[in-house]
Amino acid sequence: MIRVLVVDDSPISRELIASILDEAPGISVVGRAANGREAVSMVDTLSPNVVTMDVHMPILDGFSATSQIMAKKPTPILVVSSTSGRGGMDLMFESLRAGALTAIDKPEGPTSPHFEKRVRELVHLVRVVAGVRVTRRAPTAAASASAALPPLPRVPRRNVTLVAIGASVGGPLALENILSGLPPDFPPIVVTQHMSAGFIGGLASWLQRSTQKAVAVARDEDRLLPSCVYLAPDRAHLGVVAGGSRIRLDSGEAVGGFRPSVDAMFRSVAQDVGASAIGCLLTGMGRDGADGLLSMKTAGAWTIAQDEATAIVWGMPGCAVAEGAASEVLALSVIATRLAGPGT
């Protein structure tokens, strides 16, 4: 049984989330907190397996509560909050930096046409994060701990024109780590990051501010420019055309249950760019991206999978490694070095 603490200052939202989870098989709501201070205290006394955390709360907000919980009694935290306003987005992504695992938009009431989908997503993510082991380490500690790894072996020098990155749970912080370590003059980067609908624009803005890189949500027919990062938008696959010089968005069928799909992006890059691309598959649940990364490797591209020690969830990169799709398996802290190093 997964024991959940629901944290939300709105009595209506708190009870809605609690009722959704209590009705799900294998999940039991063991407590309800109306602010971050209550949440910190109740985590200590109730020892839940998962905390669903709002960010906008009185007395102590979700970011501060997450920081205190991860310092005192580390517990898997799922941010469940609204997507409105830059302030809320910043708090949400700072909560991820403080140790929360991923985020989802608050479910609307049963009369909403999106209600059933949001219910399924909430229940699924609670089950996923319940299986993640968390520690008192800061979110970047696992990456910095790998700094003592031996020097990276040299790889054949290649003229890289495009980098494609896929990620899911844990991806925002991994992306921030990589983008922050890249030089100003760098090939264009396309990214498919699984996120709850409505969050991707906030992720682009947050990454741009925190990494000082040009990051934007991709638009159809965008020209791919050096030193720019393009994120797949909600409900559209990101692909490339014209030798990897332009974006092509596709709102067709989901691939493997995802739209946008990492597999769809990697396959497009494999077909249109081939050996002059690099593919990188980061932390995430499931197996999206594993087959596409193999397509890139088969097309001659250099491919990288994040290692198990630094991935919050090793599902996606782990499947890629099992399939032989990765040219290298690297700790998060050295991926930027590899992308910017002799192999590029």
Side-chain angles (χ1 to χ4, degrees):
M1 184 69 69
I2 299 170
R3 295 160 44 84
V4 181
L5 171 64
V6 175
V7 186
D8 199 302
D9 67 317
S10 164
I12 295 175
S13 294
R14 192 166 61 242
E15 291 309 312
L16 176 62
I17 293 168
S19 65
I20 289 171
L21 296 178
D22 260 335
E23 291 176 6
I27 298 176
S28 174
V29 174
V30 295
R32 297 161 170 82
N35 58 64
R37 182 181 297 172
E38 289 184 6
V40 174
S41 175
M42 293 175 78
V43 165
D44 190 49
T45 58
L46 296 175
S47 299
N49 304 116
V50 176
V51 177
T52 67
M53 182 74 73
D54 190 15
V55 293
H56 284 295
M57 293 184 293
I59 304 176
L60 195 69
D61 62 32
F63 161 65
S64 301
T66 296
S67 299
Q68 292 187 25
I69 290 168
M70 297 310 294
K72 296 177 180 178
K73 192 167 184 175
T75 304
I77 295 174
L78 170 63
V79 174
V80 183
S81 193
S82 64
T83 58
S84 60
R86 171 175 166 177
M89 283 289 185
D90 284 351
L91 269 179
M92 186 193 75
F93 287 112
E94 290 306 314
S95 297
L96 296 183
R97 182 184 277 136
L101 296 174
T102 191
I104 182 177
D105 203 5
K106 282 187 184 183
E108 301 167 359
T111 59
S112 167
H114 307 294
F115 180 70
E116 292 300 327
K117 179 180 179 182
R118 291 283 170 81
V119 166
R120 290 193 298 270
E121 188 177 13
L122 174 61
V123 171
H124 175 64
L125 284 177
V126 164
R127 288 177 173 146
V128 168
V129 302
V132 177
R133 287 196 293 177
V134 293
T135 71
R136 282 188 174 84
R137 295 179 301 174
T140 56
S144 61
S146 61
L149 291 173
L152 289 171
R154 294 183 66 86
V155 300
R157 182 174 292 276
R158 55 189 64 224
N159 180 29
V160 174
T161 61
L162 182 68
V163 174
I165 301 177
S168 181
V169 175
L173 258 64
L175 288 169
E176 183 191 35
N177 181 288
I178 292 170
L179 297 181
S180 297
L182 295 177
D185 184 17
F186 197 78
I189 300 173
V190 291
V191 177
T192 293
Q193 164 70 54
H194 295 166
M195 293 210 81
S196 181
F199 285 173
I200 201 68
L203 175 62
S205 299
W206 181 74
L207 285 173
Q208 179 157 298
R209 290 192 299 274
S210 64
T211 68
Q212 301 300 302
K213 296 291 191 294
V215 185
V217 179
R219 300 171 300 180
D220 196 38
E221 296 296 331
D222 270 350
R223 181 178 292 278
L224 287 160
L225 301 175
S227 304
C228 293
V229 182
Y230 304 83
L231 306 184
D234 291 335
R235 295 180 287 275
H237 303 302
L238 189 159
V240 297
V241 293
S245 65
R246 289 189 180 276
I247 296 285
R248 176 60 53 83
L249 298 182
D250 176 9
S251 299
E253 293 296 320
V255 176
F258 295 101
R259 190 182 65 198
S261 158
V262 181
D263 272 329
M265 179 183 69
F266 282 166
R267 287 169 180 153
S268 175
V269 172
Q271 180 177 348
D272 202 67
V273 184
S276 64
I278 294 179
C280 184
L281 191 56
L282 305 176
T283 174
M285 58 188 176
R287 59 169 295 108
D288 187 29
D291 294 340
L293 196 70
L294 182 59
S295 296
M296 288 190 65
K297 185 179 180 184
T298 302
W302 193 259
T303 56
I304 297 169
Q306 185 177 353
D307 72 357
E308 186 173 9
T310 62
I312 289 178
V313 180
W314 206 50
M316 287 162 50
C319 287
V321 172
E323 287 191 14
S327 306
E328 289 185 295
V329 182
L330 299 177
L332 177 62
S333 63
V334 297
I335 291 177
T337 300
R338 169 58 86 210
L339 293 176
T344 59

